[in-house]
Amino acid sequence: MTLIQIIGIIILILISGLRIAQEYQRAVIFRLGRFQSIKGPGIYWIIPLIDRQQRVDIRTKTVDLEQQETITKDSVTIKVNAVLWFKITNPEDAIIKVADYNKAVYQFSVTALRNIIGQHTLDEVLREREQINGTLQKIVDTTTEPWGIKIEMVEMKDVEIPEAMQRAMAREAEAIREKRARIVKAEAELEASIKLTQGAKVMEGSPIALELRRMQMLSEIGIDNNTTTVILMPSDFTNAAKSFTQLVNKKKLDE
């Protein structure tokens, strides 16, 4: 074997050890079975036949948790599904400490979702989704942190309730709306009665004002029903009007 052939073989070996990792990738390097280093992004070199690599995607990943049938704290069977977002923060731990981090995150998240739903009543599940999402995120993140995985967010998508329970909730909501309507009506009647009482006290001190109001009501009734209304004028009112007319006429004569 000539010197040129030996140099050519060495060059081929060196070239075969070149690797390229994308910006979102990291390479976990093992040398003779033991962890050596983390490479990437960009171009790097490993020893052929001695080093072995496993690439890890460090971008945020989305996991769709399948619909789970579970029982709430108040013994209502519901179906819940959710979405989880996570990313790898430590590629070394993600490869060495767990066999399949994708499957591990999924299975633990599903189990945690079922457990946390069982600790809440149906009303709490429907009203306090944000709080439940936050609690679920903390539980899963605490478990996956030693694996070099960060849970960024967890969101429940749908909560499926049995039809019988849906009808019962609809009746309850209708009863609550009717209750509110009756309360509003009662408050309006109370306010109207207070105003009428105040008006009656004012008119009680002025008989003429009371008669004017009565005449106004009678005229309104006549307009609405297209009828002829006969009004009986009180003597006090007519005497007052006559005295006023005589006073005006006397003033004109004096002039």
Side-chain angles (χ1 to χ4, degrees):
M1 183 178 292
T2 65
L3 180 62
I4 296 176
Q5 291 176 331
I6 294 175
I7 293 174
I9 293 174
I10 293 174
I11 292 174
L12 288 176
I13 293 174
L14 293 175
I15 292 175
S16 65
L18 293 177
R19 299 290 186 272
I20 296 176
Q22 302 299 324
E23 184 67 32
Y24 53 84
Q25 292 178 328
R26 299 293 183 271
V28 182
I29 307 300
F30 295 90
R31 181 166 297 169
L32 298 177
R34 298 186 64 85
F35 171 75
Q36 179 65 27
S37 62
I38 303 293
K39 300 290 187 179
I43 189 169
Y44 58 94
W45 186 78
I46 61 176
I47 302 175
L49 304 178
I50 295 178
D51 290 347
R52 184 177 64 87
Q53 70 168 2
Q54 282 190 255
R55 289 183 181 176
V56 176
D57 192 329
I58 62 172
R59 292 177 293 183
T60 298
K61 297 183 180 181
T62 303
V63 178
D64 191 1
L65 304 181
E66 294 181 358
Q67 192 176 63
Q68 302 295 313
E69 185 173 353
T70 183
I71 300 177
T72 62
K73 188 176 180 180
D74 51 350
S75 302
V76 179
T77 301
I78 61 175
K79 295 180 180 179
V80 183
N81 61 354
V83 180
L84 180 143
W85 290 265
F86 76 94
K87 68 184 299 183
I88 295 175
T89 56
N90 190 329
E92 176 187 352
D93 291 339
I95 295 298
I96 296 176
K97 293 187 177 181
V98 61
D100 185 343
Y101 58 84
N102 287 308
K103 185 176 181 181
V105 169
Y106 175 83
Q107 292 296 336
F108 184 79
S109 299
V110 167
T111 303
L113 176 62
R114 293 171 63 92
N115 291 338
I116 198 170
I117 292 299
Q119 297 172 6
H120 292 78
T121 63
L122 177 60
D123 289 341
E124 291 173 347
V125 173
L126 297 177
R127 292 197 311 264
E128 302 175 3
R129 283 196 182 190
E130 292 297 328
Q131 181 179 348
I132 294 175
N133 291 337
T135 304
L136 181 59
Q137 177 184 350
K138 291 179 181 178
I139 292 174
V140 180
D141 188 57
T142 300
T143 301
T144 59
E145 185 178 4
W147 304 341
I149 294 173
K150 172 66 177 177
I151 306 299
E152 296 184 329
M153 187 168 53
V154 180
E155 290 287 340
M156 285 193 299
K157 288 170 51 178
D158 299 314
V159 179
E160 185 176 327
I161 305 171
E163 293 185 3
M165 182 60 64
Q166 292 181 17
R167 290 193 294 269
M169 293 175 65
R171 289 194 297 269
E172 181 182 0
E174 184 179 356
I176 292 174
R177 288 193 296 269
E178 184 178 354
K179 174 185 175 181
R180 291 176 179 173
R182 290 184 178 182
I183 291 174
V184 171
K185 183 178 179 181
E187 290 177 349
E189 290 178 353
L190 175 60
E191 185 176 354
S193 64
I194 292 173
K195 296 296 183 182
L196 289 173
T197 302
Q198 293 175 351
K201 289 181 180 179
V202 173
M203 291 182 180
E204 184 180 2
S206 178
I208 294 178
L210 179 61
E211 293 300 331
L212 288 173
R213 176 58 181 159
R214 186 171 67 87
M215 291 174 63
Q216 182 183 4
M217 292 177 61
L218 291 173
S219 64
E220 290 174 355
I221 293 173
I223 292 172
D224 294 339
N225 297 292
N226 195 20
T227 58
T228 300
T229 304
V230 178
I231 302 175
L232 299 178
M233 302 295 295
S235 59
D236 293 340
F237 188 82
T238 54
N239 291 336
K242 185 184 295 184
S243 299
F244 179 75
T245 304
Q246 291 176 355
L247 182 61
V248 172
N249 293 334
K250 182 178 181 182
K251 187 176 181 181
K252 288 181 178 180
L253 291 175
D254 292 341
E255 292 176 355

